[in-house]
Each structure stands twice: as C-alpha cells, then as structure tokens.
Amino acid sequence: MRNAVHRHLGKVVAGAAIAVAGTAAMVAVTLPGTAGAGETGGNKAGAQQPVQGQGQGQGQEQEQAQGQTAVQPGVVEQAPAEGDKGKGSDPLTDDEVERAEQLAVSRQLFNASENVEGERGPQRLTVDLAEPEADAVDGQGAPRRAEVTFYDYWDDTLVTKTVDLDTGKVVETISQQGVQPTPSRAENIEAAGLLLADPLGAGLKADYKDATDNELTSPDQLWLSGGIYRATPGAQPAVLDKCGEHRCVRLFTKVKNGPWIDTRSLVIDLSARNVAELDR
C-alpha cells in the first residue's frame, strides 16, 4: 500500500480531471494542482515589469501622479440581514433550513434510523428549495417548500421529504434503496476516520509524514473530497460486492496547503464500516 500511494505523493495535476476508471461508476473530480498549496516568493503571475526604453513622457506622468491626492480606498458595505423567511424562488434562509429539517425528522423517523456514526437519527445530506408546482410557475404565489434528503444507515435507504414551510406539514415522502447521492462532508470525514483507523491507512499516514514531517492523526489535517463507489461483479474484492446497495466512498485526499496523496485504490464501506483495496 505504501509503495502504491507514495508513487503519487506530491504529483500536481494542473487543469485536469482525475476520472474514476475500471471498477467504479463515479463522478469525475478535478484536482487543481496548486489549490491550497503554499506559493514561493517572486513576482505575482501576470504582474507587468518595467520595459526598458519607454519614453520620458511616461516618467513625467508618473511624477505628476505622485503629486496628486491618493485615491481613497473603497468602502465595502455589509450584506443586508437575512430574513426569517424568503420569498418566491429566493434560496432558503438559515431559519428555513433549520425549520425544514426539524419538520422532516419525526420522532418515529429519528428513533428508527441511524446516521453515519452509528448514532440514532438519519444522516442529513441536503436541504433545498423544492420546485414549485405546475400551477404556480411564477413562484410568487407558490408556497415555500423545502426538499430534505437523509440517508438511513440502519437499512441503507435514501429518504426524501418535501415540507410545506407555510403549513408546517410534510406533503410527500419518498424512500429509495440503491440510490447513492454524492457523500456529504460529514460522511467524507467519517470515511477518512475509518481509513486512518484501518491497517490500510498506513500508506496515507506515511506519505503525510513524508510531506509534512508531522504525524497524521485526524481527518481535520486533510482536505477531503469523496465520490460514490459502485461494485462491478468480479472486478474487485468480494468484500465490496455490496457497494451500491451499501454506501461506499472513495476519497481524494490532500495535505492542507500541500500535495495530493493518491488514495483512489481504497474504498470505505460506510454501511459495513470497513476498508478494502481494489484489485489491480
């Protein structure tokens, strides 16, 4: 594992996408090679340098400019305070997001579900403004509705609830299995924690040590992005055969302000809470 990962340590991929190949059906992720990495000194890119041989007229203009009053810096106005409730097709306010989640998670759902950490309650994925109904396309007279999605790790079910924020009622509930949206930040963090606790995380820790001279002990030390992994029969270890039914994640890991560490050969099954390496 150490050798497989270390070959890619510090490899910068500028302006290109790392696409998932072979056994995984995932969304391609673009890794900006210099994103977050420290920059060395020197002139900034694109800065103009003095050109030898310019006319004296320019120098005279500069001297005249020095005698003029300096331009005062602009004033940045604060954004207006966010209201408790939006209007029409405005994005959901923070208050509406919180209210939608509270309305969507009934006591029954909370007690009968499990989040990514194995605790009671479903794992929240997204809260978005719901599309207006066909008879209210203009959005002005349409009720404010929110679409809340959860993942229930108890039985690997994606639950989508549409909430009417005006009446406080759940107007639609859809439960689906085998549907795997992009993992949330909380799920990526949990996946990284499982990887660090597994023997297969030794290579990641070693490469982090090589890059920073520090020990890697927490997911907080990494920039994380993740994509869903789906099994292809016969093309990976048998332990991953349920990926797609289970919620399985492949991580893209980066040292904060440093290089990428390639962990694409590792798959974390968040449902079974185990880690496996893809066959090569």
Side-chain angles (χ1 to χ4, degrees), residues 90-137:
D90 291 343
L92 295 172
T93 65
D94 290 342
D95 287 339
E96 287 178 316
V97 169
E98 182 177 358
R99 175 172 163 76
E101 184 175 4
Q102 291 174 348
L103 292 170
V105 183
S106 63
R107 182 175 296 276
Q108 180 181 1
L109 174 61
F110 182 83
N111 289 333
S113 58
E114 187 177 291
N115 67 17
V116 68
E117 297 176 359
E119 298 175 350
R120 186 176 297 180
Q123 180 65 46
R124 192 191 86 170
L125 300 182
T126 59
V127 182
D128 299 305
L129 184 68
E131 292 290 335
E133 295 182 343
D135 58 352
V137 177

Side-chain angles (χ1 to χ4, degrees), residues 212-229:
T212 66
D213 291 329
N214 296 316
E215 301 294 334
L216 176 59
T217 59
S218 169
D220 293 338
Q221 296 169 258
L222 297 168
W223 182 92
L224 297 169
S225 179
I228 293 297
Y229 173 85

Side-chain angles (χ1 to χ4, degrees), residues 22-72:
T23 62
M26 293 177 53
V27 178
V29 177
T30 300
L31 306 181
T34 58
E39 296 181 355
T40 57
N43 295 317
K44 295 181 179 179
Q48 294 183 354
Q49 303 296 325
V51 179
Q52 185 176 6
Q54 288 182 334
Q56 295 181 352
Q58 183 176 352
Q60 293 173 354
E61 290 175 1
Q62 292 175 347
E63 291 176 359
Q64 292 174 359
Q66 291 175 355
Q68 296 177 357
T69 303
V71 177
Q72 296 299 318

Side-chain angles (χ1 to χ4, degrees), residues 83-272:
D84 295 338
K85 182 179 178 182
K87 297 180 180 179
S89 58
D90 291 343
L92 295 172
T93 65
D94 290 342
D95 287 339
E96 287 178 316
V97 169
E98 182 177 358
R99 175 172 163 76
E101 184 175 4
Q102 291 174 348
L103 292 170
V105 183
S106 63
R107 182 175 296 276
Q108 180 181 1
L109 174 61
F110 182 83
N111 289 333
S113 58
E114 187 177 291
N115 67 17
V116 68
E117 297 176 359
E119 298 175 350
R120 186 176 297 180
Q123 180 65 46
R124 192 191 86 170
L125 300 182
T126 59
V127 182
D128 299 305
L129 184 68
E131 292 290 335
E133 295 182 343
D135 58 352
V137 177
D138 60 358
Q140 298 304 315
R144 294 278 287 177
R145 292 183 174 182
E147 192 173 82
V148 188
T149 59
F150 302 96
Y151 196 84
D152 183 0
Y153 279 88
W154 176 255
D155 57 2
D156 283 296
T157 300
L158 179 70
V159 181
T160 304
K161 289 181 175 282
T162 303
V163 177
D164 189 320
L165 295 170
D166 294 328
T167 65
K169 295 181 179 180
V170 175
V171 297
E172 185 179 37
T173 300
I174 300 175
S175 297
Q176 301 169 286
Q177 291 186 315
V179 179
Q180 298 292 345
T182 301
S184 65
R185 181 174 182 273
E187 289 174 309
N188 287 334
I189 291 173
E190 184 67 14
L194 291 172
L195 177 57
L196 292 178
D198 191 274
L200 287 173
L204 172 59
K205 292 178 181 179
D207 283 346
Y208 186 93
K209 176 72 172 179
D210 288 344
T212 66
D213 291 329
N214 296 316
E215 301 294 334
L216 176 59
T217 59
S218 169
D220 293 338
Q221 296 169 258
L222 297 168
W223 182 92
L224 297 169
S225 179
I228 293 297
Y229 173 85
R230 290 181 176 276
T232 302
Q236 70 279 314
V239 69
L240 297 177
D241 283 348
K242 287 192 174 182
C243 287
E245 175 186 343
H246 284 187
R247 194 148 172 80
C248 299
V249 174
R250 292 172 80 184
L251 290 175
F252 300 90
T253 58
K254 182 179 184 298
V255 177
K256 287 187 175 180
N257 299 315
W260 295 93
I261 300 176
D262 192 349
T263 54
R264 289 172 295 162
S265 64
L266 302 174
V267 176
I268 302 94
D269 185 334
L270 291 172
S271 299

